Amino acid sequence: GTADLSDVLTIGNEVGSSYAFNGYICNVGIWDATLTQSQIKSIMNKNYAGLTSSEKTNLVSWWNLSADANDSHGSNNGTLT
């Protein structure tokens, strides 16, 4: 799908909702292209430092949420709550 760039991105919970995610989220990446199944399998257990240059192609933002909400790839820093 597409996203309105003025919207707030919430990972793990819909703001004002009772549908909170009950678990852990370690790394989150957003690409501006569709990934193949093999690309997803290659990326899914890596942190940002482990991504190859081809895996960073079309990457918009990457968050290693185990430490903070700073964007390792772009400038879309956030906050952890």
Side-chain angles (χ1 to χ4, degrees):
T2 59
D4 181 343
L5 297 179
S6 65
D7 287 346
V8 172
L9 173 65
T10 302
I11 299 168
N13 187 13
E14 184 178 336
V15 176
S17 171
S18 60
Y19 300 107
F21 176 78
N22 187 15
Y24 298 97
I25 300 173
C26 184
N27 299 313
V28 175
I30 297 178
W31 284 258
D32 66 359
T34 303
L35 301 178
T36 66
Q37 184 176 3
S38 65
Q39 288 172 312
I40 293 167
K41 284 182 177 182
S42 175
I43 292 167
M44 65 189 238
N45 291 314
K46 294 181 180 178
N47 61 21
Y48 183 75
L51 296 175
T52 66
S53 60
S54 66
E55 292 169 339
K56 292 179 184 176
T57 301
N58 298 313
L59 180 63
V60 175
S61 293
W62 181 279
W63 299 275
N64 287 326
L65 297 176
S66 60
D68 55 40
N70 291 331
D71 185 350
S72 298
H73 187 76
S75 60
N76 297 304
N77 295 331
T79 56
L80 297 176
T81 57

